[in-house]
Amino acid sequence: MRVKINQNIFKVKTLIDEKSKYIGMMGKKFDETFNGLLFLMGGDKQSFWMKNCIIPLDIIIIRNNVIVNIHHDCPPCHGDECPSYGGNGNIVLELEGGTCEDLDIEPGDTVEYLF
């Protein structure tokens, strides 16, 4: 699957089940097969952390195909007391840290899903 924000297209891996959403980017890096993780969440209030991640991430909260919040360049956390990053939306997109600033992706931008 691909996600389009403005003129930028990202190859994403879609996470639906609870186990894959819990693991997310723990111990992983993006590669040529995907450069984003798309979490299809239930409910409206989301909270993510960076436990055992190895690269900084931009965490993008989406509601009704519109970006409502971006947490920029969230650092990895290797302890048990990790900060959480949240917002009100039903979809979360994770990209490599700094991507949103580099590509001028901002709250209010529309997100398209390309199959």
Side-chain angles (χ1 to χ4, degrees):
M1 174 189 241
R2 295 174 296 142
V3 171
K4 182 178 179 184
I5 304 172
N6 303 326
Q7 299 305 313
N8 309 293
I9 297 177
F10 304 97
K11 293 185 283 186
V12 299
K13 183 175 182 180
T14 305
L15 305 179
I16 299 170
D17 66 273
E18 291 304 313
K19 183 178 180 183
S20 63
K21 288 191 284 189
Y22 177 79
I23 294 171
M25 283 297 290
M26 288 183 182
K28 299 176 188 152
K29 291 183 179 181
F30 295 117
D31 59 27
E32 65 279 349
T33 60
F34 69 102
N35 57 2
L37 280 187
L38 187 70
F39 297 78
L40 303 181
M41 308 298 292
D44 289 327
K45 183 137 180 81
Q46 309 308 325
S47 182
F48 278 65
W49 64 351
M50 297 291 295
K51 185 172 182 167
N52 296 326
C53 290
I54 56 176
I55 62 169
L57 298 172
D58 287 349
I59 300 174
I60 303 166
I61 312 294
I62 302 165
R63 183 178 57 235
N64 298 329
N65 302 333
V66 175
I67 296 173
V68 294
N69 196 7
I70 300 173
H71 298 280
H72 296 275
D73 226 6
C74 302
C77 176
H78 300 289
D80 288 331
E81 298 294 323
C82 298
S84 61
Y85 306 93
N88 292 315
N90 57 348
I91 295 176
V92 176
L93 175 62
E94 290 182 345
L95 301 173
E96 187 172 342
T99 299
C100 291
E101 286 186 1
D102 290 347
L103 300 176
D104 294 321
I105 295 172
E106 300 177 343
D109 288 348
T110 300
V111 179
E112 295 179 59
Y113 306 97
L114 310 171
F115 297 94

